[in-house]
Amino acid sequence: QVQVAESGGGLVQPGGSLRLSCAASGRSFRDYCVGWFRQAPGKEREFVAALRWATGATYYADSVKGRFTISRDVAKNTVYLQMNSLKPEDTDVYYCGTLWGCITSTARATSRYDNWGQGTQVTVSS
């Protein structure tokens, strides 16, 4: 079973950029979708972006399309979330999770993911 660890959060001004990393250990991401999600206190965890490792296909929430880019480094077994043009409403704890054997119809389904990391705080504020 794969384990994940997120890194790269921090404080950034509106309009700024951050890159989050999700690194695998235990096994590779080969048979998984790797997704990024975010959650505010008292709210449900919501889908942000996902990448299907086998094909490289990517999926995005409408709220981040055109601003965020999910990518991978196969050699490092790591998935990245490049976040540009950040807005105060992007402030949340961001989590990485995995979905074994995902297909297009399930790649955005938060409830199907597991193997969550500890999360990394992203704060967008002036």
Side-chain angles (χ1 to χ4, degrees), residues 81-103:
L81 184 68
Q82 178 66 44
M83 304 186 294
N84 299 329
S85 301
L86 282 161
K87 305 175 182 179
E89 51 264 43
D90 294 318
T91 295
D92 267 325
V93 178
Y94 284 69
Y95 296 89
C96 174
T98 64
L99 171 58
W100 187 88
C102 78
I103 56 177

Side-chain angles (χ1 to χ4, degrees), residues 1-2 24-32 34 53 74 77 100:
Q1 180 165 310
V2 66
S25 62
R27 60 169 292 175
S28 79
F29 285 139
R30 187 180 62 187
D31 300 313
Y32 293 86
V34 181
W53 194 267
V74 175
N77 216 18
W100 187 88

